[in-house]
Amino acid sequence: MPSGAGLEPQQFTVTSLEDWARADIYNNERLLRHDEDLRRAVERAKKEELPDIAVSPAQGKFLSLLARSIGAKRILEVGTLGGYSTIWLAKALPDDGELVTFELLEKHAQVARENIASAGLADKVQVVVGPAIDNLRALQPDVPFDLVFIDADKPSNVDYFREAKRLVRNNGVIIVDNVVRWGKVANLDHTDVDVEGVRALLAALKDDKDVDAVVMGTAGEKGYDGFLYGIVKKQ
Ligand code: SAH
Ligand code: DHB
Ligand code: MG
């Protein structure tokens, strides 16, 4: 096995994506309640032919539980698409909570706004259109964010993470999606810009004493991938 981590094939038990997808669905049937707002959001994203790259239902619920666990009142998201992860996160907010989400494409933002409005979350969620890095750099919030979810163009991960660090409170949480990429990040045969964007982030974090982080692999309906989960210490 070509690898950047020195692993031998016999250390792996045979499994398949089918096993993981089945387990995901099995677990979701038991642990996820039907949510009409999320169902409509998926349906509208499909009808509008948005790319099928939103987080999975289990990942959405994980993000939502995480937000509730830390009592998040202010959430920032980079990469809105049709607002699927946005809705999961916004539903975790208390009545006076707020979520700001950045999206490059007007079309995606429009679909997201419709989904957010149908979910009754329009008063809590602001969708901002444009290159996320410009909007992140311009942001000077009076109150810092509790949680940032980074899920946009992967080559900008380092830049987004830098701004996320600036914008979160002490012990604020930063989650980055798609940091395993079917194992490609750790497989040095792969050198595409997305993989390199993730590697650059991991390299930056190696020497970052203000961030304590881990990658949790995710396998399920949407393939093999992972979240980076970091906590930021502010002086
Ligand atoms: N978080 C969403 C999925 C986001 S997909 C969910 O799980 O439901 C990634 C999104 O990032 C796409 O909608 C894409 O248009 C957007 N994007 C790509 N480059 C961007 C940029 N430079 N600034 C802001 N958004 C960007
Ligand atoms: C892609 C982007 C994502 O954010 C994701 O979760 C899955 C796939 C992509 O660009 O292919
Ligand atoms: Mg993603």
Side-chain angles (χ1 to χ4, degrees):
M1 167 192 272
S3 164
L7 294 176
E8 296 301 326
Q10 60 267 28
Q11 291 173 253
F12 295 90
T13 303
V14 175
T15 184
S16 68
L17 188 55
E18 202 184 353
D19 290 330
W20 288 98
R22 189 189 303 111
D24 211 359
I25 291 161
Y26 180 94
N27 295 328
N28 292 347
E29 279 169 355
R30 285 154 184 80
L31 302 175
L32 271 59
R33 326 240 177 278
H34 179 80
D35 185 311
E36 195 52 25
D37 303 322
L38 291 163
R39 190 201 60 76
R40 265 201 306 266
V42 169
E43 186 182 72
R44 189 178 274 123
K46 216 173 267 173
K47 196 184 92 210
E48 300 292 339
E49 299 181 332
L50 263 47
D52 183 20
I53 56 173
V55 294
S56 71
Q59 290 165 354
K61 180 146 186 194
F62 173 80
L63 292 172
S64 184
L65 290 174
L66 167 63
R68 282 164 58 193
S69 299
I70 64 165
K73 284 182 84 166
R74 289 175 49 77
I75 300 175
L76 179 62
E77 179 179 64
V78 185
T80 317
L81 191 64
Y84 182 76
S85 55
T86 317
I87 291 172
W88 270 112
L89 285 165
K91 286 193 174 212
L93 290 169
D95 287 345
D96 59 344
E98 288 175 306
L99 188 154
V100 179
T101 182
F102 291 138
E103 171 55 50
L104 179 65
L105 301 178
E106 182 59 50
K107 164 154 186 187
H108 292 183
Q110 205 42 51
V111 174
R113 285 192 187 108
E114 285 171 33
N115 284 334
I116 289 158
S118 312
L121 294 163
D123 55 336
K124 284 183 184 167
V125 179
Q126 193 193 345
V127 183
V128 182
V129 180
I133 194 59
D134 297 346
N135 289 317
L136 281 164
R137 287 184 181 142
L139 212 55
Q140 301 286 352
D142 296 332
V143 183
F145 290 90
D146 302 296
L147 172 64
V148 182
F149 178 48
I150 299 175
D151 187 20
D153 50 314
K154 313 311 175 191
S156 303
N157 270 344
V158 170
D159 296 334
Y160 295 156
F161 202 94
R162 185 182 305 116
E163 292 307 308
K165 275 179 65 179
R166 180 179 68 81
L167 292 161
V168 290
R169 64 167 162 83
N170 188 33
N171 292 321
V173 174
I174 306 177
I175 304 287
V176 185
D177 193 22
N178 311 115
V179 297
V180 172
R181 313 195 70 79
W182 303 82
K184 288 191 207 172
V185 173
N187 182 335
L188 303 181
D189 290 349
H190 292 277
T191 56
D192 65 80
V193 294
D194 294 333
V195 159
E196 294 293 359
V198 176
R199 284 184 190 143
L201 176 60
L202 292 168
L205 291 176
K206 194 169 199 276
D207 300 316
D208 189 333
K209 294 188 175 47
D210 301 329
V211 178
D212 208 7
V214 72
V215 169
M216 285 303 295
T218 56
E221 293 175 66
K222 298 238 163 170
Y224 303 115
D225 218 316
F227 283 134
L228 183 132
Y229 182 146
I231 289 185
V232 183
K233 188 174 73 194
K234 314 274 281 202
Q235 20 286 334

